[in-house]
Amino acid sequence: GQNIDQPTEMTATEGAIVQINCTYQTSGFNGLFWYQQHAGEAPTFLSYNVLDGLEEKGRFSSFLSRSKGYSYLLLKELQMKDSASYLCAVSSNTGGFKTIFGAGTRLFVKA
Amino acid sequence: GAVVSQHPSRVICKSGTSVKIECRSLDFQATTMFWYRQFPKKSLMLMATSNEGSKATYEQGVEKDKFLINHASLTLSTLTVTSAHPEDSSFYICSARAGRSSYEQYFGPGTRLTVT
């Protein structure tokens, strides 16, 4: 089966850097996503990694190590609006293409 | 970016009635659509995967007779919650993918279902 683990909650200060970790176990790995979700809203796409390494996109970066089953999302220059849940999701092509989500990490950004 | 709409955004229904939720891809053809439900402060739980023109594939533990999914065209999928009960109250979100080679899923805005 699939298993995705990420911390439940994190707190960081405005302007700081925060790293949200995600570990996963899956067969037929086909990529790892990070999504941002504000309360009561649908998730919005942040990043996709299918090869090992770091992908940088503005204030957000995502890293993947397939051999370790590990990813992290790095948020720089934190802003209050970054307070949200961050969902790690793994795409698998076993039994059909589908994406399974982790429980999410609720990030609180304080002034 | 690609846009996915859902209708209705909110619905309140009485126990025992059925509710249909529509998911549309507005500017692209979605070969695959996914239906998720989300409980408060919890992550998205995949309910089923639907491919246009074929039967939906349901995840373990999801009753296919209760959650009827139809993917009649490349731009429309519907989820019907039959004989709804209060425990079916949840946030239902659909997502769509343009093709098997496309990795990105585009999410609809979600439908808040409340069963009284």
Side-chain angles (χ1 to χ4, degrees):
Chain A
Q2 292 175 310
N3 192 42
I4 302 173
D5 288 312
Q6 53 182 129
T8 305
E9 289 186 356
M10 297 182 72
T11 301
T13 304
E14 192 175 19
I17 299 173
V18 70
Q19 177 175 312
I20 303 174
N21 296 321
C22 172
T23 57
Y24 66 90
Q25 293 175 309
T26 188
S27 56
F29 179 78
N30 195 45
L32 186 143
F33 299 84
W34 283 96
Y35 285 86
Q36 180 191 63
Q37 186 179 27
H38 286 96
E41 299 179 8
T44 55
F45 172 81
L46 291 178
S47 67
Y48 172 71
N49 295 68
V50 67
L51 299 176
D52 290 350
L54 186 68
E55 296 276 345
E56 296 184 77
K57 189 187 298 183
R59 294 190 299 116
F60 292 64
S61 302
S62 57
F63 172 83
L64 175 68
S65 168
R66 288 172 296 171
S67 62
K68 295 181 179 178
Y70 168 69
S71 172
Y72 68 73
L73 178 70
L74 194 70
L75 293 78
K76 303 175 184 176
E77 301 170 18
L78 279 174
Q79 302 174 10
M80 299 298 285
K81 67 178 182 179
D82 296 330
S83 294
S85 285
Y86 290 86
L87 311 177
C88 173
V90 174
S91 179
S92 165
N93 59 12
T94 300
F97 284 90
K98 58 186 177 184
T99 302
I100 303 298
F101 284 76
T105 298
R106 295 180 69 201
L107 175 66
F108 299 94
V109 180
K110 58 182 182 180
Chain B
V3 178
V4 174
S5 70
Q6 269 185 252
H7 178 79
S9 57
R10 288 178 177 270
V11 58
I12 301 172
C13 70
K14 292 186 177 180
S15 187
T17 61
S18 295
V19 174
K20 180 185 284 188
I21 303 170
E22 293 186 348
C23 177
R24 293 181 185 273
S25 57
L26 299 184
D27 52 1
F28 68 100
Q29 293 186 325
T31 55
T32 306
M33 286 186 170
F34 305 89
W35 286 96
Y36 295 85
R37 69 183 295 183
Q38 186 175 34
F39 293 103
K41 298 183 180 180
K42 300 291 184 184
S43 190
L44 284 76
M45 182 191 80
L46 180 64
M47 299 175 66
T49 302
S50 83
N51 293 296
E52 186 267 339
S54 62
K55 290 184 179 180
T57 303
Y58 290 80
E59 294 299 303
Q60 191 173 6
V62 178
E63 299 176 58
K64 59 182 179 182
D65 293 333
K66 180 166 186 62
F67 298 99
L68 300 178
I69 292 172
N70 184 284
H71 194 161
S73 76
L74 285 171
T75 59
L76 173 65
S77 176
T78 60
L79 167 68
T80 301
V81 183
T82 61
S83 186
H85 290 284
E87 57 265 30
D88 298 326
S89 299
S90 190
F91 193 48
Y92 292 88
I93 306 176
C94 73
S95 70
R97 189 171 66 205
R100 291 182 67 83
S101 61
S102 173
Y103 63 82
E104 191 166 345
Q105 288 181 234
Y106 303 97
F107 283 85
T111 297
R112 174 77 58 192
L113 170 64
T114 303
V115 184
T116 61

